[in-house]
Every structure is written in C-alpha cells, then in structure tokens.
Amino acid sequence: MATNARAAICRGNSEPFAIEDVELAELRPDELRVKIIACGVCHTDMAVRDQQLPVPMPVVLGHEGAGIVEEVGSDVTSAKVGDRVVMSFNSCGHCPSCDIDAPTYCYNFFPENWSGGRPDGSATLLQKGEKMNANFFGQSSFATHAIAHDRNVVKVPDSAKDLPLERLAPIGCGLMTGAGAVLNSMKVRKGLPIAVVGVGTVGMAAIMAAKIAGADPIIAVDMNDSRLELAKELGATHAFNAKDDAMGQIKELVPQGLGYAFDTTGINKVIEDLFGLLAPMGIVGMVGASDPSHMLKFNEAEFMGGGRRVMGILGGDSDLKHFLPKLIEYHLNGQFPFDKLIGYFPFEEINEAIESSENGTVVKPVLRIAEEA
Ligand code: CXF
Ligand code: ZN
C-alpha cells in the first residue's frame, strides 16, 4: 500500500520550494520507511536547486534526515520498527570502495544518490501517480516520510536516548565531513598545527575534531568575524580574518610550517597558498566544491622533497555505521558541541531556512517536520 506524505518540491531556483502531497512507493526488501522528525539544510541542496549538480528536476531534496522507523523490508538489519535513526548518503555495498568500508567513494555513488530514483530507474516517490524525482542521497528527507536503505540508516545508540532527533539530524553530512577529514582522513596528530579555512558547518566540525585530536595551534580563517568568534568558542586557538593577510599571519605564527591545512572553500588560490605553508609531511585536505574547470599548481620539488600531500576528501572518509555513533558519543561527552551551529525552522519555513544559510545568519538550519512523540 502506498503511503501518503507531504514533501517540499524543488523546481529550480526561479521558484521557492513548495510543500505538496506525494505518495511513497512500496518498500523493497532492503528499504525502510522513516517518519521524518527533522532534516538539516546543506549547501549541496542549494547546489542541486541551482543545477550545479546533475540531479534531475523537479526533485525532493533533503539529505540530513532523522526520524522514526515505521516499516522495514524483509532484509533490513540496521534498524527495526520504532527505532530512532539518522540518515546519510547511500552506497552500493559491492564495489571496491564499499568492500574496504570506504563508502563515500562508492563506484555507484551517482545512481545510488543522485539519479532521482533507485539505481534501476524505479521511483521511490510519486505525485498523482507519476514518478517524482527523489531518493536523493538515498532518502529525500524534506518530507514527512522517506524511503531509506539498509546501508544509509544508522540507529541512534541507546546512550543517546535523551538527545532529540532534531539535534542529531545534521550529523550525517557536513559535520561528519569536517570531523572525519581531521580524524579519519588526515589523522591529525597531537601537538601539530592545523589551519582550517572557511568555518561553515564543515570547518567548524573540523575545528572541534582538531581539538579532540589535540592539534596545536588550531587556526580558523574566514571572512565573517562572528563565525570566527564561534570557531574560537569551539576550539580554535587563533582566528584570522581572510581580509587581513591571513596567510601572512599563519606564516608568522607557525614559521616551521603547518602539519595540516584544511580547505573548505574550493578556491584554487587558497589551496595553493596553503600548500606553500606546509611543513615537511604536511597535508592539505580539500573538501570545498570547486569550479570543475579549475586546475591546481604546486611546486614539484616541495611536493616530493618534503613528502607533502594534497588530499581530496569526500564525506570525511566516513564509514557511517561506526563513525556516526562515535560522533554522537563525542557530543554526549561535550567534545563535539555542534548544537551551537543549529538554528531551527518549522518545515513550512523551508525557504526562510535556506535563505538564513545563504545570507550567513545561521550556520546549520534544521527543519522541524514532526514532533517526536
Ligand atoms: C556528501 C558527499 C558524499 C559523501 C557524504 C557527504 N556531501 C553532501 O553534501
Ligand atoms: Zn550535504
């Protein structure tokens, strides 16, 4: 039996998101139906709206959903009916990357997450009986209900039973990307200096994780002074405004060079400058969305001679089933206070939530979609 739901439909950037009636398809054996309690808003949703990513439209976006499982297919093992879950990106489970628990580099990432339906082309969502593009990041959580998959659902651990789902919703995207880049990808070492350029959700998560790792100093760079203040609250030991020769200030502070430089801007000049500030064996980690035509230039002798590394990082190399519970534990211990980034909006105010992210007033907007009973 199809399930009726309400979903925010994106028809591009010439019109606002509109909340309309839709129907969910029947579950396949590896799928779950989740009643969505809350969903974070991410820049990737806006990139799709602006048609910078090849996702078919119109579409139901939203990929930071948290909710309660209402129904499970016969093969599902990750959660059962009534469980509280968070959702993240989907992966195929049978490619060379998934084989080594590196699902962010799934060979089938596009069909699993961005094709508008299941990899076989079938619809997870319909409107008036016609296919509606959905299954975005294996969920499409800007909706009252979503179909998710065994591989992209993580049950909230019992230790976090008192944490509201609306707070946990955003854990499966920018937060895990920034924290994972520091803890999993670059494996930041205690006592080494790190610079984080761009302190949106990803950069702030990187700063909190750098503090967990014991990096020192932890340098935040951004153009927004109030964000730099917040970065300091979350663990940055120094904060430089990019307008005030931040690269020069880093050089002065850390003359021996940076152990780690983490770029969230995707601007090639910034990445090249950061490369020039690396100590021997230093790593530049890159997560920023960049212009697809851009090329990077760096000195071959410095690259090879000092064993320096330039590292492209997707999703913080997160193996969801292990890493998301670990981040939740850090939060419970007070070491990952990401709630300081969140601003809440009712579902009906999805367009205002998006606006708040774009004008920089809220770091991480989260939509409240239903009350948690
Ligand atoms: C994603 C990219 C792929 C892995 C998880 C996070 N970014 C979403 O905005
Ligand atoms: Zn995202």
Side-chain angles (χ1 to χ4, degrees):
M1 244 237 317
T3 304
N4 293 326
R6 302 268 297 159
I9 317 274
C10 170
R11 297 190 169 87
N13 57 14
S14 54
E15 48 186 300
F17 285 59
I19 300 176
E20 298 176 13
D21 290 332
V22 292
E23 309 98 51
L24 265 63
E26 291 202 16
L27 294 185
R28 295 263 175 99
D30 73 321
E31 293 176 343
L32 308 86
R33 189 176 70 247
V34 179
K35 177 183 177 201
I36 305 293
I37 299 296
C39 185
V41 175
C42 168
H43 289 288
T44 305
D45 298 307
M46 280 86 106
V48 173
R49 175 203 63 189
D50 298 343
Q51 286 163 47
Q52 290 159 2
L53 291 170
V55 177
M57 299 248 237
V59 62
V60 177
L61 301 173
H63 59 282
E64 297 183 358
I68 297 166
V69 177
E70 280 190 343
E71 188 186 344
V72 295
S74 53
D75 295 346
V76 168
T77 58
S78 57
K80 54 186 192 329
V81 172
D83 281 348
R84 303 163 79 230
V85 294
V86 289
M87 286 167 274
S88 186
F89 67 97
N90 202 16
S91 55
C92 74
H94 52 71
C95 70
S97 296
C98 288
D99 283 349
I100 59 160
D101 296 329
T104 63
Y105 307 106
C106 175
Y107 283 34
N108 296 302
F109 192 88
F110 176 83
E112 295 285 350
N113 291 281
W114 287 358
S115 61
R118 298 188 185 94
D120 67 4
S122 63
T124 54
L125 204 72
L126 300 110
Q127 191 173 43
K128 299 193 179 108
E130 298 286 318
K131 176 179 176 178
M132 166 59 69
N133 292 306
N135 201 33
F136 183 58
F137 281 90
Q139 46 180 299
S140 288
S141 289
F142 288 160
T144 57
H145 298 77
I147 290 183
H149 307 262
D150 208 22
R151 286 186 61 81
N152 74 327
V153 157
V154 176
K155 181 179 167 349
V156 174
D158 291 342
S159 56
K161 65 177 182 342
D162 296 330
L163 289 184
L165 282 170
E166 64 180 31
R167 187 184 310 170
L168 293 173
I171 199 119
C173 190
L175 292 170
M176 79 173 185
T177 295
V182 166
L183 300 171
N184 305 327
S185 321
M186 300 194 289
K187 298 191 173 28
V188 166
R189 277 166 54 194
K190 193 171 160 52
L192 290 193
I194 183 169
V196 175
V197 183
V199 284
T201 303
V202 175
M204 296 285 193
I207 285 183
M208 292 184 265
K211 186 172 176 192
I212 292 171
D216 187 36
I218 300 171
I219 307 160
V221 179
D222 201 284
M223 296 205 299
N224 178 324
D225 284 323
S226 64
R227 288 204 177 187
L228 287 172
E229 271 316 302
L230 183 54
K232 277 183 150 173
E233 248 183 72
L234 297 176
T237 57
H238 298 75
F240 299 145
N241 194 305
K243 293 174 198 147
D244 305 330
D245 184 23
M247 298 295 168
Q249 294 197 70
I250 294 175
K251 203 169 185 151
E252 206 170 298
L253 180 69
V254 193
Q256 78 279 19
L258 290 167
Y260 309 91
F262 184 53
D263 177 70
T264 71
T265 70
I267 299 168
N268 53 5
K269 165 94 172 88
V270 173
I271 299 164
E272 288 166 3
D273 285 352
L274 287 173
F275 180 82
L277 292 175
L278 290 182
M281 289 188 77
I283 304 176
V284 182
M286 295 166 45
V287 295
S290 48
D291 182 321
S293 69
H294 283 176
M295 308 294 278
L296 286 172
K297 259 199 195 143
F298 44 87
N299 180 271
E300 279 181 44
E302 281 174 23
F303 180 57
M304 191 284 288
R308 293 180 175 83
R309 280 171 258 180
V310 176
M311 190 184 269
I313 303 170
L314 205 52
D317 289 342
S318 302
D319 173 16
L320 300 178
K321 310 276 178 188
H322 296 109
F323 195 54
L324 297 191
K326 195 165 167 180
L327 288 180
I328 293 172
E329 286 308 321
Y330 282 133
H331 180 68
L332 287 167
N333 296 339
Q335 291 175 283
F336 194 53
F338 65 85
D339 48 309
K340 297 202 172 137
L341 311 178
I342 298 177
Y344 292 102
F345 293 81
F347 188 26
E348 298 67 37
E349 288 175 22
I350 180 169
N351 294 297
E352 289 79 356
I354 290 170
E355 167 68 17
S356 77
S357 164
E358 293 190 308
N359 68 23
T361 51
V362 177
V363 181
K364 171 55 65 184
V366 169
L367 302 172
R368 287 180 161 139
I369 297 179
E371 294 274 334
E372 200 176 336

